[in-house]
Amino acid sequence: MAPERWELLYRQEFARVYRGLLAVLRDPDRALDALQDAFAAGLQKPPADGDDLAGWLFVVAVRSARRGLRRSFVRLDQVRSHVSKDEIEASLDRMEVGRLLAGLTERQRAMVVAQFYLGLDHREIARHFGVKTGTVSATLAQAKARMRAEVRNVS
Amino acid sequence: MFPELSIERVFRRELDSLPLPDERLWVPDPRATRPAVVVVSLRRRRT
């Protein structure tokens, strides 16, 4: 895939994937770093044709964030010029979804966001994360049970 | 969980309100290279 084509596709999916990463990581700098890592990974080895691009970018970014990789392309002063981590956490804490996600592990949050925000099914989530479909089902079932319990506690 | 709306709609409605960074930051700028690494070689002096 030509780099220009890859950049165009990446830009089309950026907003959705970035917001999904914010919900999982709760940190704008980590989310941006991780998504830019995924962009760089796609430049080197683009996803297969027909792959769900948002799902691919999301999972590659989540993995990158877990490894704690720091990108080297953007200067720190640029990274710090956007919204702060505290503002994002405050926004998420005001949201029903944000509060429910806060009670989950990062892995559970990633799969819940992949399903309910990015619209991936269990099979797609399993393929992207490199796990069995049964693992996805079990992780999502645990996450939903915890979210239901949280709703019951609040009401 | 969310009786009036499907959970997907609630996720979209709420998460779509999260702010985005400046568009100039979306794509990494390869011209902004990493800080130069200063390599210092220490030579052992024979005494």
Side-chain angles (χ1 to χ4, degrees), chain A residues 7 10-11 14-15 18-19 22-23 32 36 39 71-73 75 78 81-83 88 95-97 100 112 116-117 147-148 151, chain B residues 1-2 4 7-23 25-35:
Chain A
E7 182 175 333
Y10 169 83
R11 283 184 174 281
F14 181 92
Y18 175 79
R19 285 173 169 141
L22 279 185
L32 186 58
Q36 292 185 341
F39 171 76
R71 277 184 338 87
S72 56
F73 295 121
R75 298 183 188 99
Q78 286 181 321
S81 67
H82 65 286
V83 66
I88 291 299
M95 294 174 187
E96 190 169 12
V97 162
L100 294 177
V112 167
F116 294 128
Y117 185 58
M147 289 195 289
R148 274 190 216 103
V151 169
Chain B
M1 186 180 298
F2 303 101
E4 76 283 13
I7 190 168
E8 290 88 354
R9 284 180 62 192
V10 177
F11 265 75
R12 259 181 260 133
R13 187 192 64 195
E14 294 202 338
L15 297 188
D16 280 349
S17 69
L18 288 169
L20 297 174
D22 188 310
E23 199 164 338
L25 298 178
W26 288 17
V27 178
D29 181 1
R31 289 167 301 182
T33 53
R34 71 178 68 195

Short mmCIF file of all heavy atoms in Angstrom, two decimals, chain A residues 7 10-11 14-15 18-19 22-23 32 36 39 71-73 75 78 81-83 88 95-97 100 112 116-117 147-148 151, chain B residues 1-2 4 7-23 25-35:
data_model
loop_
_atom_site.label_atom_id
_atom_site.label_comp_id
_atom_site.label_asym_id
_atom_site.label_seq_id
_atom_site.Cartn_x
_atom_site.Cartn_y
_atom_site.Cartn_z
N GLU A 7 -1.91 6.87 4.78
CA GLU A 7 -2.17 8.07 5.59
C GLU A 7 -3.62 8.51 5.45
O GLU A 7 -4.26 8.91 6.43
CB GLU A 7 -1.23 9.21 5.19
CG GLU A 7 -1.46 10.45 6.06
CD GLU A 7 -0.47 11.57 5.80
OE1 GLU A 7 0.66 11.30 5.36
OE2 GLU A 7 -0.86 12.74 6.04
N TYR A 10 -5.78 6.13 7.45
CA TYR A 10 -5.52 6.39 8.87
C TYR A 10 -6.27 7.64 9.32
O TYR A 10 -6.89 7.66 10.38
CB TYR A 10 -4.01 6.54 9.05
CG TYR A 10 -3.53 7.06 10.38
CD1 TYR A 10 -3.38 6.21 11.47
CD2 TYR A 10 -3.18 8.40 10.54
CE1 TYR A 10 -2.90 6.68 12.68
CE2 TYR A 10 -2.70 8.88 11.74
CZ TYR A 10 -2.57 8.02 12.81
OH TYR A 10 -2.10 8.50 14.01
N ARG A 11 -6.20 8.69 8.51
CA ARG A 11 -6.89 9.93 8.88
C ARG A 11 -8.40 9.72 8.96
O ARG A 11 -9.07 10.31 9.80
CB ARG A 11 -6.59 11.04 7.86
CG ARG A 11 -5.21 11.64 8.02
CD ARG A 11 -4.99 12.80 7.05
NE ARG A 11 -3.73 13.46 7.30
CZ ARG A 11 -3.52 14.34 8.27
NH1 ARG A 11 -4.51 14.67 9.09
NH2 ARG A 11 -2.35 14.89 8.44
N PHE A 14 -8.97 8.01 12.31
CA PHE A 14 -8.26 8.54 13.48
C PHE A 14 -9.21 8.86 14.65
O PHE A 14 -9.00 8.40 15.77
CB PHE A 14 -7.45 9.78 13.12
CG PHE A 14 -6.70 10.35 14.30
CD1 PHE A 14 -5.40 9.97 14.57
CD2 PHE A 14 -7.31 11.23 15.19
CE1 PHE A 14 -4.72 10.46 15.68
CE2 PHE A 14 -6.64 11.72 16.31
CZ PHE A 14 -5.34 11.33 16.54
N ALA A 15 -10.25 9.65 14.38
CA ALA A 15 -11.09 10.17 15.47
C ALA A 15 -11.72 9.03 16.27
O ALA A 15 -11.67 9.01 17.51
CB ALA A 15 -12.18 11.08 14.90
N TYR A 18 -8.95 6.97 18.11
CA TYR A 18 -8.34 7.76 19.19
C TYR A 18 -9.30 7.84 20.38
O TYR A 18 -8.88 7.68 21.54
CB TYR A 18 -8.01 9.16 18.67
CG TYR A 18 -7.50 10.09 19.74
CD1 TYR A 18 -6.18 10.03 20.19
CD2 TYR A 18 -8.35 11.04 20.32
CE1 TYR A 18 -5.72 10.88 21.19
CE2 TYR A 18 -7.90 11.89 21.31
CZ TYR A 18 -6.59 11.81 21.74
OH TYR A 18 -6.15 12.66 22.73
N ARG A 19 -10.57 8.10 20.13
CA ARG A 19 -11.53 8.20 21.23
C ARG A 19 -11.70 6.85 21.94
O ARG A 19 -11.84 6.80 23.16
CB ARG A 19 -12.87 8.71 20.71
CG ARG A 19 -12.81 10.20 20.41
CD ARG A 19 -14.06 10.68 19.74
NE ARG A 19 -14.11 12.12 19.68
CZ ARG A 19 -14.58 12.80 18.63
NH1 ARG A 19 -15.02 12.17 17.56
NH2 ARG A 19 -14.61 14.12 18.65
N LEU A 22 -8.80 6.58 24.18
CA LEU A 22 -8.95 7.43 25.36
C LEU A 22 -9.79 6.71 26.42
O LEU A 22 -9.48 6.76 27.61
CB LEU A 22 -9.67 8.74 25.01
CG LEU A 22 -8.86 9.87 24.39
CD1 LEU A 22 -9.75 11.10 24.23
CD2 LEU A 22 -7.64 10.22 25.22
N ALA A 23 -10.85 6.04 25.97
CA ALA A 23 -11.73 5.34 26.91
C ALA A 23 -11.00 4.18 27.58
O ALA A 23 -11.29 3.85 28.73
CB ALA A 23 -12.97 4.82 26.18
N LEU A 32 -2.38 9.04 22.00
CA LEU A 32 -1.81 9.59 20.77
C LEU A 32 -0.52 8.86 20.41
O LEU A 32 -0.31 8.49 19.25
CB LEU A 32 -1.55 11.09 20.94
CG LEU A 32 -1.07 11.84 19.70
CD1 LEU A 32 -2.06 11.70 18.55
CD2 LEU A 32 -0.82 13.31 20.02
N GLN A 36 -0.10 6.67 17.00
CA GLN A 36 0.95 7.00 16.03
C GLN A 36 1.91 5.82 15.84
O GLN A 36 2.42 5.62 14.74
CB GLN A 36 1.68 8.26 16.49
CG GLN A 36 0.76 9.49 16.40
CD GLN A 36 1.46 10.78 16.72
OE1 GLN A 36 2.52 10.78 17.33
NE2 GLN A 36 0.87 11.89 16.32
N PHE A 39 0.19 3.74 13.37
CA PHE A 39 0.37 4.31 12.03
C PHE A 39 1.73 3.91 11.46
O PHE A 39 1.83 3.46 10.31
CB PHE A 39 0.26 5.84 12.08
CG PHE A 39 0.63 6.54 10.80
CD1 PHE A 39 -0.24 6.55 9.72
CD2 PHE A 39 1.85 7.18 10.67
CE1 PHE A 39 0.10 7.17 8.54
CE2 PHE A 39 2.20 7.81 9.49
CZ PHE A 39 1.33 7.81 8.42
N ARG A 71 6.96 6.96 21.19
CA ARG A 71 7.32 7.34 19.84
C ARG A 71 8.40 8.42 19.89
O ARG A 71 8.54 9.14 20.85
CB ARG A 71 6.12 7.91 19.10
CG ARG A 71 5.22 6.91 18.50
CD ARG A 71 4.16 7.62 17.75
NE ARG A 71 3.99 8.97 18.21
CZ ARG A 71 4.68 9.99 17.76
NH1 ARG A 71 5.56 9.82 16.82
NH2 ARG A 71 4.47 11.17 18.25
N SER A 72 9.11 8.52 18.80
CA SER A 72 10.19 9.50 18.78
C SER A 72 9.93 10.60 17.76
O SER A 72 10.74 11.49 17.60
CB SER A 72 11.50 8.79 18.43
OG SER A 72 11.35 8.12 17.20
N PHE A 73 8.79 10.54 17.07
CA PHE A 73 8.59 11.49 15.97
C PHE A 73 8.17 12.88 16.44
O PHE A 73 8.49 13.88 15.84
CB PHE A 73 7.50 10.99 15.02
CG PHE A 73 7.86 9.73 14.31
CD1 PHE A 73 7.08 8.60 14.46
CD2 PHE A 73 8.97 9.67 13.50
CE1 PHE A 73 7.41 7.44 13.79
CE2 PHE A 73 9.31 8.52 12.83
CZ PHE A 73 8.52 7.39 12.99
N ARG A 75 7.77 16.05 19.04
CA ARG A 75 8.45 16.69 20.17
C ARG A 75 7.51 16.75 21.36
O ARG A 75 6.30 16.88 21.21
CB ARG A 75 8.87 18.10 19.78
CG ARG A 75 9.85 18.15 18.63
CD ARG A 75 10.24 19.59 18.38
NE ARG A 75 11.03 19.71 17.16
CZ ARG A 75 10.52 20.08 16.00
NH1 ARG A 75 9.25 20.36 15.90
NH2 ARG A 75 11.28 20.17 14.94
N GLN A 78 4.93 19.54 21.56
CA GLN A 78 3.75 19.36 20.72
C GLN A 78 2.75 18.42 21.40
O GLN A 78 1.56 18.68 21.42
CB GLN A 78 4.13 18.76 19.37
CG GLN A 78 4.82 19.75 18.45
CD GLN A 78 5.15 19.12 17.13
OE1 GLN A 78 5.54 17.95 17.06
NE2 GLN A 78 5.00 19.87 16.07
N SER A 81 0.60 19.96 23.97
CA SER A 81 -0.20 21.12 23.60
C SER A 81 -1.69 20.81 23.52
O SER A 81 -2.48 21.70 23.30
CB SER A 81 0.28 21.67 22.26
OG SER A 81 -0.01 20.75 21.24
N HIS A 82 -2.08 19.54 23.65
CA HIS A 82 -3.51 19.25 23.60
C HIS A 82 -4.06 18.98 25.00
O HIS A 82 -3.40 19.24 25.98
CB HIS A 82 -3.83 18.16 22.59
CG HIS A 82 -3.27 16.81 22.92
ND1 HIS A 82 -1.95 16.49 22.79
CD2 HIS A 82 -3.88 15.71 23.37
CE1 HIS A 82 -1.78 15.24 23.15
NE2 HIS A 82 -2.92 14.74 23.51
N VAL A 83 -5.30 18.51 25.04
CA VAL A 83 -6.02 18.41 26.30
C VAL A 83 -5.26 17.53 27.32
O VAL A 83 -4.58 16.57 26.95
CB VAL A 83 -7.43 17.87 26.02
CG1 VAL A 83 -7.39 16.47 25.51
CG2 VAL A 83 -8.33 17.99 27.20
N ILE A 88 -9.33 14.75 30.53
CA ILE A 88 -9.94 13.55 29.94
C ILE A 88 -10.56 12.68 31.03
O ILE A 88 -11.69 12.19 30.90
CB ILE A 88 -8.88 12.74 29.15
CG1 ILE A 88 -8.47 13.50 27.89
CG2 ILE A 88 -9.41 11.35 28.78
CD1 ILE A 88 -9.59 13.76 26.90
N MET A 95 -19.27 10.77 32.40
CA MET A 95 -20.05 9.94 31.48
C MET A 95 -20.46 8.64 32.16
O MET A 95 -19.67 8.05 32.90
CB MET A 95 -19.23 9.55 30.25
CG MET A 95 -18.86 10.69 29.37
SD MET A 95 -17.75 10.06 28.08
CE MET A 95 -17.31 11.60 27.31
N GLU A 96 -21.63 8.18 31.83
CA GLU A 96 -22.07 6.88 32.36
C GLU A 96 -21.11 5.78 31.88
O GLU A 96 -20.66 4.94 32.66
CB GLU A 96 -23.49 6.61 31.86
CG GLU A 96 -24.12 5.41 32.52
CD GLU A 96 -25.61 5.32 32.23
OE1 GLU A 96 -26.09 6.04 31.34
OE2 GLU A 96 -26.26 4.50 32.88
N VAL A 97 -20.80 5.82 30.59
CA VAL A 97 -19.91 4.82 30.01
C VAL A 97 -18.53 4.91 30.64
O VAL A 97 -17.91 3.90 30.97
CB VAL A 97 -19.82 5.03 28.47
CG1 VAL A 97 -18.61 4.33 27.88
CG2 VAL A 97 -21.09 4.55 27.79
N LEU A 100 -18.49 3.33 34.06
CA LEU A 100 -18.57 1.86 34.00
C LEU A 100 -17.24 1.25 33.55
O LEU A 100 -16.79 0.25 34.10
CB LEU A 100 -19.70 1.43 33.05
CG LEU A 100 -21.11 1.77 33.49
CD1 LEU A 100 -22.11 1.36 32.43
CD2 LEU A 100 -21.45 1.09 34.81
N VAL A 112 -14.35 -4.35 25.47
CA VAL A 112 -15.68 -3.74 25.52
C VAL A 112 -15.78 -2.60 24.50
O VAL A 112 -16.75 -2.48 23.76
CB VAL A 112 -15.97 -3.22 26.95
CG1 VAL A 112 -17.19 -2.31 26.97
CG2 VAL A 112 -16.21 -4.40 27.90
N PHE A 116 -18.47 -2.50 21.57
CA PHE A 116 -19.60 -1.56 21.64
C PHE A 116 -19.34 -0.22 20.96
O PHE A 116 -20.28 0.49 20.62
CB PHE A 116 -20.02 -1.35 23.09
CG PHE A 116 -20.59 -2.58 23.73
CD1 PHE A 116 -20.10 -3.05 24.93
CD2 PHE A 116 -21.61 -3.29 23.11
CE1 PHE A 116 -20.62 -4.19 25.51
CE2 PHE A 116 -22.14 -4.44 23.69
CZ PHE A 116 -21.64 -4.89 24.89
N TYR A 117 -18.09 0.17 20.81
CA TYR A 117 -17.82 1.46 20.17
C TYR A 117 -17.33 1.27 18.73
O TYR A 117 -17.78 1.96 17.84
CB TYR A 117 -16.79 2.23 20.99
CG TYR A 117 -16.55 3.63 20.47
CD1 TYR A 117 -17.59 4.55 20.34
CD2 TYR A 117 -15.27 4.05 20.09
CE1 TYR A 117 -17.37 5.83 19.86
CE2 TYR A 117 -15.04 5.32 19.62
CZ TYR A 117 -16.09 6.21 19.50
OH TYR A 117 -15.87 7.48 19.03
N MET A 147 -20.02 -4.46 34.98
CA MET A 147 -20.73 -3.21 34.65
C MET A 147 -22.16 -3.26 35.17
O MET A 147 -22.67 -2.27 35.69
CB MET A 147 -20.70 -2.95 33.13
CG MET A 147 -19.32 -2.57 32.62
SD MET A 147 -19.31 -1.84 30.95
CE MET A 147 -19.70 -3.25 29.95
N ARG A 148 -22.80 -4.44 35.06
CA ARG A 148 -24.17 -4.58 35.58
C ARG A 148 -24.18 -4.36 37.09
O ARG A 148 -25.06 -3.70 37.63
CB ARG A 148 -24.72 -5.96 35.26
CG ARG A 148 -25.36 -6.03 33.89
CD ARG A 148 -26.12 -7.35 33.71
NE ARG A 148 -25.96 -7.78 32.34
CZ ARG A 148 -25.15 -8.73 31.91
NH1 ARG A 148 -24.45 -9.43 32.77
NH2 ARG A 148 -25.07 -9.02 30.64
N VAL A 151 -23.97 -0.74 37.83
CA VAL A 151 -25.26 -0.07 37.60
C VAL A 151 -26.18 -0.32 38.79
O VAL A 151 -26.87 0.58 39.27
CB VAL A 151 -25.90 -0.54 36.28
CG1 VAL A 151 -27.33 -0.06 36.17
CG2 VAL A 151 -25.08 -0.07 35.09
N MET B 1 -29.17 -2.80 30.93
CA MET B 1 -28.22 -1.86 31.50
C MET B 1 -28.64 -0.42 31.19
O MET B 1 -28.69 0.44 32.04
CB MET B 1 -26.84 -2.14 30.94
CG MET B 1 -25.74 -1.32 31.58
SD MET B 1 -24.14 -1.72 30.87
CE MET B 1 -23.97 -3.44 31.31
N PHE B 2 -28.90 -0.14 29.91
CA PHE B 2 -29.38 1.17 29.51
C PHE B 2 -30.73 0.95 28.84
O PHE B 2 -30.80 0.70 27.65
CB PHE B 2 -28.42 1.83 28.51
CG PHE B 2 -27.03 1.97 29.03
CD1 PHE B 2 -26.05 1.07 28.64
CD2 PHE B 2 -26.69 2.98 29.91
CE1 PHE B 2 -24.77 1.19 29.12
CE2 PHE B 2 -25.40 3.09 30.39
CZ PHE B 2 -24.44 2.19 30.00
N GLU B 4 -33.33 2.63 27.81
CA GLU B 4 -33.91 3.45 26.76
C GLU B 4 -33.13 3.42 25.45
O GLU B 4 -33.65 3.75 24.40
CB GLU B 4 -34.12 4.89 27.25
CG GLU B 4 -32.89 5.76 27.35
CD GLU B 4 -32.02 5.46 28.56
OE1 GLU B 4 -32.21 4.41 29.22
OE2 GLU B 4 -31.13 6.25 28.84
N ILE B 7 -26.84 -0.27 24.04
CA ILE B 7 -25.54 0.05 24.65
C ILE B 7 -24.59 0.66 23.61
O ILE B 7 -23.82 1.55 23.91
CB ILE B 7 -24.94 -1.19 25.35
CG1 ILE B 7 -23.73 -0.79 26.18
CG2 ILE B 7 -24.60 -2.29 24.38
CD1 ILE B 7 -23.26 -1.88 27.12
N GLU B 8 -24.70 0.18 22.36
CA GLU B 8 -23.82 0.74 21.32
C GLU B 8 -24.09 2.22 21.12
O GLU B 8 -23.17 3.02 20.95
CB GLU B 8 -24.01 0.00 19.98
CG GLU B 8 -23.48 -1.42 19.96
CD GLU B 8 -24.52 -2.43 20.43
OE1 GLU B 8 -25.61 -2.01 20.89
OE2 GLU B 8 -24.25 -3.64 20.35
N ARG B 9 -25.35 2.60 21.13
CA ARG B 9 -25.70 4.01 20.92
C ARG B 9 -25.19 4.86 22.07
O ARG B 9 -24.76 5.98 21.88
CB ARG B 9 -27.20 4.18 20.75
CG ARG B 9 -27.67 3.73 19.38
CD ARG B 9 -29.16 3.90 19.24
NE ARG B 9 -29.58 5.29 19.37
CZ ARG B 9 -30.85 5.68 19.51
NH1 ARG B 9 -31.81 4.78 19.55
NH2 ARG B 9 -31.16 6.94 19.59
N VAL B 10 -25.27 4.32 23.28
CA VAL B 10 -24.78 5.08 24.44
C VAL B 10 -23.27 5.26 24.33
O VAL B 10 -22.75 6.36 24.57
CB VAL B 10 -25.13 4.37 25.76
CG1 VAL B 10 -24.55 5.12 26.95
CG2 VAL B 10 -26.64 4.24 25.90
N PHE B 11 -22.55 4.19 23.96
CA PHE B 11 -21.10 4.30 23.79
C PHE B 11 -20.77 5.36 22.75
O PHE B 11 -19.91 6.21 22.96
CB PHE B 11 -20.51 2.94 23.37
CG PHE B 11 -20.00 2.14 24.52
CD1 PHE B 11 -20.89 1.50 25.39
CD2 PHE B 11 -18.65 2.01 24.77
CE1 PHE B 11 -20.43 0.76 26.47
CE2 PHE B 11 -18.18 1.27 25.85
CZ PHE B 11 -19.07 0.64 26.69
N ARG B 12 -21.46 5.31 21.61
CA ARG B 12 -21.17 6.26 20.53
C ARG B 12 -21.49 7.68 20.97
O ARG B 12 -20.70 8.60 20.77
CB ARG B 12 -21.94 5.89 19.27
CG ARG B 12 -21.03 5.18 18.26
CD ARG B 12 -21.77 4.83 17.01
NE ARG B 12 -22.14 3.43 17.07
CZ ARG B 12 -23.34 2.94 16.80
NH1 ARG B 12 -24.31 3.74 16.43
NH2 ARG B 12 -23.58 1.68 16.90
N ARG B 13 -22.65 7.84 21.58
CA ARG B 13 -23.09 9.19 21.97
C ARG B 13 -22.09 9.80 22.96
O ARG B 13 -21.72 10.96 22.84
CB ARG B 13 -24.47 9.11 22.61
CG ARG B 13 -25.09 10.47 22.91
CD ARG B 13 -26.30 10.31 23.79
NE ARG B 13 -25.93 9.76 25.10
CZ ARG B 13 -26.79 9.25 25.98
NH1 ARG B 13 -28.07 9.15 25.68
NH2 ARG B 13 -26.39 8.80 27.14
N GLU B 14 -21.66 9.00 23.92
CA GLU B 14 -20.78 9.57 24.95
C GLU B 14 -19.33 9.69 24.48
O GLU B 14 -18.72 10.74 24.65
CB GLU B 14 -20.87 8.72 26.23
CG GLU B 14 -22.25 8.80 26.86
CD GLU B 14 -22.27 8.45 28.34
OE1 GLU B 14 -21.34 7.75 28.82
OE2 GLU B 14 -23.21 8.85 29.01
N LEU B 15 -18.81 8.62 23.91
CA LEU B 15 -17.38 8.67 23.54
C LEU B 15 -17.14 9.62 22.36
O LEU B 15 -16.05 10.20 22.26
CB LEU B 15 -16.85 7.27 23.23
CG LEU B 15 -16.88 6.28 24.41
CD1 LEU B 15 -16.16 4.99 24.05
CD2 LEU B 15 -16.26 6.88 25.67
N ASP B 16 -18.13 9.79 21.50
CA ASP B 16 -17.95 10.74 20.38
C ASP B 16 -17.83 12.17 20.85
O ASP B 16 -17.48 13.06 20.07
CB ASP B 16 -19.10 10.62 19.37
CG ASP B 16 -18.94 9.43 18.44
OD1 ASP B 16 -17.84 8.83 18.44
OD2 ASP B 16 -19.89 9.09 17.71
N SER B 17 -18.12 12.42 22.13
CA SER B 17 -17.99 13.79 22.63
C SER B 17 -16.59 14.08 23.18
O SER B 17 -16.29 15.20 23.57
CB SER B 17 -19.04 14.06 23.71
OG SER B 17 -18.74 13.30 24.87
N LEU B 18 -15.74 13.06 23.23
CA LEU B 18 -14.39 13.28 23.74
C LEU B 18 -13.59 14.14 22.76
O LEU B 18 -13.73 13.98 21.55
CB LEU B 18 -13.67 11.94 23.95
CG LEU B 18 -14.16 11.08 25.13
CD1 LEU B 18 -13.56 9.68 25.07
CD2 LEU B 18 -13.82 11.75 26.46
N PRO B 19 -12.76 15.03 23.29
CA PRO B 19 -12.04 15.95 22.40
C PRO B 19 -10.92 15.26 21.63
O PRO B 19 -10.33 14.28 22.11
CB PRO B 19 -11.47 16.99 23.37
CG PRO B 19 -11.31 16.26 24.66
CD PRO B 19 -12.44 15.26 24.71
N LEU B 20 -10.63 15.80 20.46
CA LEU B 20 -9.53 15.29 19.64
C LEU B 20 -8.34 16.24 19.76
O LEU B 20 -8.53 17.44 19.98
CB LEU B 20 -9.96 15.20 18.17
CG LEU B 20 -11.09 14.24 17.85
CD1 LEU B 20 -11.49 14.39 16.38
CD2 LEU B 20 -10.68 12.80 18.15
N PRO B 21 -7.14 15.72 19.57
CA PRO B 21 -5.98 16.62 19.55
C PRO B 21 -5.97 17.44 18.26
O PRO B 21 -6.71 17.12 17.32
CB PRO B 21 -4.79 15.66 19.60
CG PRO B 21 -5.29 14.39 19.04
CD PRO B 21 -6.75 14.32 19.38
N ASP B 22 -5.14 18.44 18.23
CA ASP B 22 -4.94 19.24 17.02
C ASP B 22 -4.63 18.31 15.84
O ASP B 22 -3.85 17.37 15.99
CB ASP B 22 -3.76 20.19 17.27
CG ASP B 22 -3.61 21.20 16.15
OD1 ASP B 22 -3.59 20.79 14.97
OD2 ASP B 22 -3.51 22.39 16.46
N GLU B 23 -5.25 18.59 14.71
CA GLU B 23 -5.09 17.69 13.56
C GLU B 23 -3.63 17.57 13.11
O GLU B 23 -3.23 16.58 12.51
CB GLU B 23 -5.96 18.15 12.39
CG GLU B 23 -6.19 17.05 11.39
CD GLU B 23 -7.35 17.34 10.45
OE1 GLU B 23 -8.22 18.16 10.81
OE2 GLU B 23 -7.36 16.77 9.36
N LEU B 25 -1.27 16.95 14.88
CA LEU B 25 -0.62 15.89 15.67
C LEU B 25 -1.09 14.49 15.28
O LEU B 25 -0.59 13.51 15.80
CB LEU B 25 -0.90 16.09 17.16
CG LEU B 25 -0.38 17.37 17.80
CD1 LEU B 25 -0.79 17.44 19.26
CD2 LEU B 25 1.13 17.45 17.67
N TRP B 26 -2.07 14.41 14.39
CA TRP B 26 -2.63 13.10 14.07
C TRP B 26 -1.58 12.17 13.45
O TRP B 26 -1.48 11.01 13.80
CB TRP B 26 -3.82 13.22 13.12
CG TRP B 26 -5.05 13.78 13.75
CD1 TRP B 26 -5.12 14.47 14.93
CD2 TRP B 26 -6.37 13.72 13.23
NE1 TRP B 26 -6.42 14.84 15.17
CE2 TRP B 26 -7.20 14.39 14.15
CE3 TRP B 26 -6.93 13.17 12.08
CZ2 TRP B 26 -8.58 14.52 13.95
CZ3 TRP B 26 -8.29 13.29 11.87
CH2 TRP B 26 -9.10 13.97 12.81
N VAL B 27 -0.86 12.73 12.49
CA VAL B 27 0.13 11.92 11.79
C VAL B 27 1.50 12.32 12.30
O VAL B 27 1.81 13.51 12.38
CB VAL B 27 0.05 12.15 10.27
CG1 VAL B 27 1.12 11.35 9.55
CG2 VAL B 27 -1.33 11.78 9.76
N PRO B 28 2.32 11.35 12.70
CA PRO B 28 3.65 11.70 13.19
C PRO B 28 4.46 12.42 12.11
O PRO B 28 4.36 12.10 10.93
CB PRO B 28 4.27 10.36 13.56
CG PRO B 28 3.43 9.32 12.91
CD PRO B 28 2.07 9.92 12.72
N ASP B 29 5.23 13.38 12.55
CA ASP B 29 6.03 14.16 11.63
C ASP B 29 7.45 13.59 11.61
O ASP B 29 8.20 13.77 12.56
CB ASP B 29 6.05 15.62 12.09
CG ASP B 29 6.86 16.49 11.15
OD1 ASP B 29 7.38 15.96 10.14
OD2 ASP B 29 6.97 17.70 11.43
N PRO B 30 7.81 12.93 10.51
CA PRO B 30 9.14 12.31 10.49
C PRO B 30 10.26 13.34 10.46
O PRO B 30 11.41 13.02 10.71
CB PRO B 30 9.12 11.49 9.19
CG PRO B 30 8.07 12.11 8.36
CD PRO B 30 7.05 12.71 9.29
N ARG B 31 9.91 14.63 10.16
CA ARG B 31 10.97 15.65 10.16
C ARG B 31 11.38 16.03 11.57
O ARG B 31 12.45 16.53 11.80
CB ARG B 31 10.48 16.91 9.42
CG ARG B 31 10.38 16.68 7.92
CD ARG B 31 9.60 17.80 7.29
NE ARG B 31 8.25 17.87 7.87
CZ ARG B 31 7.33 18.73 7.48
NH1 ARG B 31 7.57 19.61 6.55
NH2 ARG B 31 6.13 18.72 8.05
N ALA B 32 10.44 15.80 12.52
CA ALA B 32 10.78 16.09 13.91
C ALA B 32 11.52 14.89 14.47
O ALA B 32 10.94 14.00 15.08
CB ALA B 32 9.52 16.36 14.73
N THR B 33 12.76 14.86 14.23
CA THR B 33 13.55 13.67 14.57
C THR B 33 13.83 13.62 16.06
O THR B 33 13.72 14.62 16.75
CB THR B 33 14.88 13.66 13.81
OG1 THR B 33 15.52 14.90 14.07
CG2 THR B 33 14.64 13.49 12.34
N ARG B 34 14.17 12.44 16.49
CA ARG B 34 14.48 12.28 17.90
C ARG B 34 15.74 13.08 18.25
O ARG B 34 16.57 13.33 17.39
CB ARG B 34 14.67 10.81 18.24
CG ARG B 34 15.93 10.21 17.68
CD ARG B 34 16.06 8.77 18.10
NE ARG B 34 15.05 7.93 17.47
CZ ARG B 34 14.75 6.70 17.87
NH1 ARG B 34 15.37 6.19 18.90
NH2 ARG B 34 13.86 5.99 17.24
N PRO B 35 15.85 13.50 19.49
CA PRO B 35 17.03 14.25 19.88
C PRO B 35 18.30 13.46 19.59
O PRO B 35 18.32 12.23 19.72
CB PRO B 35 16.85 14.44 21.39
CG PRO B 35 15.42 14.17 21.66
CD PRO B 35 14.95 13.24 20.60
#
